[in-house]
Amino acid sequence: MDSSDHSQTMPAEEPAKEPVKSHRVLVLQGGGALGSYQAGAYQALCHHDFEPEWVAGISIGAINAAIIAGNPREKRIGRLKEFWEMASAPVPWKPVLRGDQAHTIFDNASAALIMAFGVPGFFTPRFPPAQIFPSSQLASMSYYDTTPLRATLLRLVDFDRINAGLTRFSVGAVNIATGNLEYFDNTTLKPDGTRKYIIGPEHIMASAALPPGFPAVQVGEDFYWDGGIASNTPLDYVLAKETRKDLLIFQVDLFSAEGPLPATLLDAAEREKDIRYSSRTRMNTDKNEQLHNAIKALRDLIGKLPDDLKNDPSVAILNEATKENTVTVVHLIYRSKNYESSSKDYNFSRLNMIDHWQSGERDVHMSMREPSRLERPQRGDTMVALDLTRGQPR
């Protein structure tokens, strides 16, 4: 083939993509009691007609993801409310609090109550305590028993629906023996073409098994801990597994990478937790932005090659390797209130549950005030990350 035929080997320039028409993905970070923020965000996304085709989660995000993927759209909000009202039942009262100091005292007291008595339908303290059990038992390695969570998941989640693949579903957990983060995905196939995972309560519980509070969960022959130990967000997994379809990702994070300099010891503990659980999110986003844009630069460079090189076999390989999707990531990040401390992720009080839920709704509505941001075709960079609530009054 001579150089005059190079148009047959070089892909024609495609029109810029509109993010709002892309494959829709909901990514849910771990964060314990802060997870009601995700439920509120999902409720508001429904108001804006965002129907996820893929839901991925870790830890509490896995529980919320299972409730969303495991129910038809008209039942999802009701099921989420049922779970979060149950989880906040130990501290159901909503006192009138004047000032951040009073709210902090209330938070610390309610968190202590949760630690002492657990959360109904989720986890209960071990009795006798873990230290009494023989060391060969799983019960000796966790302070709480998560057996109630299994019954709750079976009640609130239709696992047949998840396994039917109506919505793609992925949850991450850490294999204790290998130390690797693994994803239980309802689309993963074995070499023979059969489904690798039949998703059940154990997969969700494994993703939420944060030690030493919660025990390891057995899936098949292996034992797993909370996926947040390795990475608190499934974003990297989503971007690695889907490289062809254009993606519109709403990533709902429960810890903010940015924050003020701590003023007290408790502030320092909270800030450390925020940084620890948000760092992989920021790293994954930055890394994937760089990768996408490097691929675009390579594709642009190929387009500038002289005709006699465009038909080189190596260029053909590069052409195939540089075919990629466009990705728009909309960050929804819970930003702590002044009164919250390092107990915020295990303070399941009704007051905080409602506050977090409403914060999730508010941040979505704030992000969607300019819908043109999601209707505007992408040009230039092939991956764009948006944080449309940064700097806004809370």
Side-chain angles (χ1 to χ4, degrees):
M1 183 182 295
D2 61 31
S3 60
S4 63
D5 292 324
H6 72 271
S7 61
Q8 298 179 23
T9 60
M10 290 297 295
E13 183 177 350
E14 296 183 359
K17 306 297 192 300
E18 293 186 36
V20 75
K21 296 180 180 179
S22 300
H23 192 73
R24 299 181 173 193
V25 186
L26 185 62
V27 170
L28 304 176
Q29 190 187 59
L34 299 174
S36 58
Y37 175 84
Q38 295 172 341
Y42 175 74
Q43 178 171 318
L45 286 170
C46 288
H47 176 79
H48 292 280
D49 201 31
F50 178 85
E51 177 70 11
E53 298 164 87
W54 184 358
V55 186
I58 280 180
S59 197
I60 197 66
I63 295 175
N64 283 330
I67 294 173
I68 292 169
N71 284 284
R73 183 170 181 173
E74 66 273 12
K75 291 186 177 181
R76 291 171 178 172
I77 302 302
R79 294 294 196 205
L80 287 167
K81 286 183 177 179
E82 187 175 348
F83 174 79
W84 285 102
E85 288 174 358
M86 175 199 70
S88 61
V91 192
W93 55 88
K94 294 174 283 184
V96 177
L97 300 171
R98 293 181 175 83
D100 290 343
Q101 185 176 5
H103 205 144
T104 300
I105 293 172
F106 172 78
D107 275 10
N108 290 337
S110 56
L113 189 65
I114 297 297
M115 290 182 65
F117 298 103
V119 170
F122 196 162
F123 60 90
T124 56
R126 293 199 180 279
F127 185 82
Q131 296 88 337
I132 305 299
F133 286 90
S135 59
S136 60
Q137 295 186 15
L138 282 176
S140 69
M141 292 179 279
S142 66
Y143 297 113
Y144 298 95
D145 178 9
T146 55
T147 302
L149 178 58
R150 181 181 181 84
T152 296
L153 291 170
L154 288 172
R155 179 168 56 85
L156 297 180
V157 177
D158 182 350
F159 285 97
D160 289 338
R161 182 182 180 86
I162 290 179
N163 289 306
L166 300 178
T167 302
R168 185 170 181 178
F169 175 79
S170 314
V171 293
V174 172
N175 185 310
I176 299 175
T178 66
N180 293 331
L181 178 61
E182 298 179 18
Y183 278 88
F184 307 122
D185 189 314
N186 64 353
T187 67
T188 302
L189 301 178
K190 296 178 182 178
D192 62 4
T194 60
R195 192 73 60 81
K196 183 175 182 179
Y197 302 111
I198 302 300
I199 304 296
E202 64 275 11
H203 298 92
I204 318 305
M205 295 172 68
S207 183
L210 184 64
F214 298 160
V217 174
Q218 185 172 8
V219 178
E221 297 181 354
D222 296 316
F223 289 86
Y224 293 85
W225 274 334
D226 191 305
I229 294 174
S231 177
N232 203 34
T233 176
L235 178 64
D236 205 33
Y237 176 79
V238 169
L239 296 178
K241 289 298 180 180
E242 183 51 74
T243 59
R244 295 303 186 193
K245 294 178 182 177
D246 297 316
L247 301 176
L248 171 59
I249 302 172
F250 275 85
Q251 175 167 303
V252 192
D253 292 344
L254 302 179
F255 297 93
S256 175
E258 298 179 352
L261 186 68
T264 68
L265 188 61
L266 291 177
D267 289 346
E270 180 195 6
R271 189 75 196 104
E272 182 274 334
K273 186 176 288 187
D274 284 345
I275 293 171
R276 172 159 41 100
Y277 285 123
S278 66
S279 59
R280 286 296 295 266
T281 299
R282 180 177 51 191
M283 182 188 73
N284 289 341
T285 303
D286 292 346
K287 180 188 71 176
N288 281 285
E289 278 190 283
Q290 292 170 1
L291 178 61
H292 270 258
N293 296 325
I295 290 173
K296 178 184 179 297
L298 179 57
R299 191 167 63 246
D300 292 343
L301 184 61
I302 292 172
K304 297 174 183 177
L305 291 174
D307 290 347
D308 61 328
L309 289 179
K310 286 180 178 177
N311 297 312
D312 187 282
S314 296
V315 174
I317 295 173
L318 290 174
N319 276 331
E320 183 63 28
T322 56
K323 289 179 180 178
E324 61 169 342
N325 54 348
T326 63
V327 178
T328 301
V329 180
V330 181
H331 289 284
L332 296 166
I333 305 172
Y334 177 71
R335 292 178 168 92
S336 299
K337 309 299 189 297
N338 291 334
Y339 55 79
E340 289 184 302
S341 66
S342 60
S343 67
K344 62 188 177 184
D345 57 334
Y346 58 90
N347 179 10
F348 285 85
S349 72
R350 182 68 52 85
L351 179 70
N352 283 15
M353 183 275 288
I354 293 173
D355 183 49
H356 298 150
W357 188 297
Q358 292 174 344
S359 293
E361 289 185 274
R362 183 175 61 250
D363 283 355
V364 168
H365 291 315
M366 191 181 301
S367 296
M368 303 297 278
R369 284 184 306 186
E370 299 181 52
S372 61
R373 297 292 294 271
L374 299 184
E375 296 170 358
R376 187 179 306 150
Q378 273 198 19
R379 297 187 185 277
D381 293 347
T382 59
M383 180 172 174
V384 176
L386 306 172
D387 180 359
L388 302 178
T389 64
R390 177 181 290 179
Q392 299 295 318
R394 314 310 295 171

